Amino acid sequence: MRRWADMIAMGQDRFIPQAPAVAPVVHDGAGALRDDLRGSVLLLGNFDGLHLGHQALIALAALRSRKTGSPLAILQFDPHPRHYFRGEQEFLISGNAVQRRLLSEAGIDLIYAPVFDAQFARQPAESFVLDHLVAQLGISAVVTGADFRFGQFRAGDVPLLQAMGEICGFATHVVGECRDRGGEGTRISSSQVRWFIRTGELDEAERLLGRPFETAIQAGPTGWQFDPMQILPPDGIFMVEARGVAGQRLGRRMLVLKGRRPEARLPTGTSTLLWHAAASVEAAETRFERTDNGL
């Protein structure tokens, strides 16, 4: 179901899914791709967080795939290039579990997730297009932002994609800069969303995401814990909504965050948290009694 495509076609600000999502196929490039997944409309870029700018790209790609009857695909590197090149942690707006669910809800049919290693990083831009987009995926079109760069030394750009597409037989669709508030407000970018999260302005992050900031969380032997790659707000007290693995609502709780350590009486089965406006953003001394889940 092309939900965001339908959202744009109907002129709505936000689309409420009407049917359960179907999990996309994940292909790492090892071996041949299924015939029914070749010829896709492929999204290129860094889609961490799937904010409103990303949703505009996905909506355009979904419309193109629906018109042509082609699969809808997206490129996702594993590990993330920022982690590979610089060893960065604590920067992902959406960890893997949340992001995969959001992509399912967006109607993505295929996630192309090649291993990002030294060999992949050394590929010239032209080889990336020929070996992956053409030979491996057999794409019919790409949809990307105007500032997308790729290949060794980030030498590839949109004009190169357009030129190679004319030769290799795929179309290139480019989406320009997106701003909120009818195009007059803040530029919608992952960097801006990260800034709002890091400064505790979760209402502003929610405005650019088009939904509440969401993180995966799991119960470990010493208590609740987050993925080390997950970006988090500063220390403080927050209202969160606990959700189960299937997305069911489990109730709202107060959560104290200190040094990335969450303290809260979360319901059994909690898989993700939706974060709402902070009660306070500062180091907190509150402590909770332990439960069977670790806290």
Side-chain angles (χ1 to χ4, degrees):
M1 181 183 229
R2 302 292 180 251
R3 297 176 179 135
W4 292 341
D6 292 339
M7 173 189 73
I8 284 187
M10 295 167 62
Q12 297 177 347
D13 292 330
R14 194 170 299 180
F15 186 82
I16 300 174
Q18 300 297 319
V22 177
V25 172
V26 180
H27 181 59
D28 64 2
L33 181 66
R34 277 175 19 197
D35 288 344
D36 63 314
L37 293 173
R38 291 184 63 80
S40 64
V41 175
L42 177 68
L43 286 145
L44 289 176
N46 174 21
F47 289 84
D48 177 29
L50 271 71
H51 54 60
L52 291 175
H54 295 148
Q55 292 176 33
L57 270 74
I58 294 175
L60 173 60
L63 282 172
R64 298 305 307 172
S65 73
R66 185 170 61 183
K67 280 186 175 181
T68 60
S70 305
L72 181 59
I74 191 169
L75 176 70
Q76 297 269 277
F77 288 123
D78 183 22
H80 193 287
R82 285 178 61 166
H83 181 67
Y84 175 80
F85 284 117
R86 293 178 273 179
E88 285 191 54
Q89 292 185 309
E90 304 176 19
F91 70 91
L92 288 181
I93 298 170
S94 296
N96 186 62
V98 172
Q99 194 170 58
R100 292 283 170 91
R101 196 201 75 239
L102 292 173
L103 292 175
S104 296
E105 292 173 356
I108 299 294
D109 300 305
L110 169 67
I111 297 174
Y112 183 51
V115 176
F116 194 91
D117 55 15
Q119 182 178 355
F120 195 100
R122 287 195 300 266
Q123 289 181 108
E126 294 83 357
S127 296
F128 168 74
V129 173
L130 293 173
D131 295 345
H132 294 273
L133 308 193
V134 178
Q136 181 65 240
L137 301 177
I139 63 169
S140 59
V142 295
V143 175
T144 189
D147 58 354
F148 177 66
R149 304 301 293 256
F150 61 97
Q152 188 179 33
F153 307 124
R154 292 169 53 85
D157 56 13
V158 167
L160 178 62
L161 268 178
Q162 292 170 327
M164 295 193 71
E166 291 179 2
I167 296 170
C168 299
F170 63 83
T172 303
H173 304 282
V174 182
V175 176
E177 182 180 87
C178 293
R179 292 181 176 271
D180 71 337
R181 296 182 176 134
E184 300 297 327
T186 303
R187 178 178 181 270
I188 301 173
S189 68
S190 296
S191 296
Q192 187 63 64
V193 174
R194 288 189 185 96
W195 170 261
F196 285 142
I197 294 171
R198 287 195 172 108
T199 57
E201 300 173 80
L202 299 186
D203 53 343
E204 293 297 305
E206 179 174 342
R207 182 166 57 85
L208 299 191
L209 287 168
R211 63 178 187 284
F213 172 53
E214 183 178 5
T215 62
I217 192 169
Q218 61 181 12
T222 61
W224 293 99
Q225 57 191 24
F226 298 104
D227 185 325
M229 299 291 285
Q230 175 70 60
I231 190 173
L232 291 173
D235 290 353
I237 303 173
F238 301 87
M239 176 64 71
V240 298
E241 181 181 333
R243 295 282 182 97
V245 67
Q248 69 273 29
R249 295 181 175 181
L250 300 179
R252 292 197 172 199
R253 299 290 191 274
M254 295 299 296
L255 179 145
V256 177
L257 187 66
K258 187 172 183 179
R260 296 187 61 85
R261 179 179 172 82
E263 298 179 352
R265 299 189 186 98
L266 299 178
T268 301
T270 297
S271 176
T272 66
L273 299 178
L274 274 62
W275 298 66
H276 301 284
S280 68
V281 178
E282 58 185 356
E285 298 300 329
T286 307
R287 291 291 181 270
F288 292 99
E289 296 177 2
R290 282 187 186 278
T291 68
D292 291 340
N293 267 352
L295 283 174

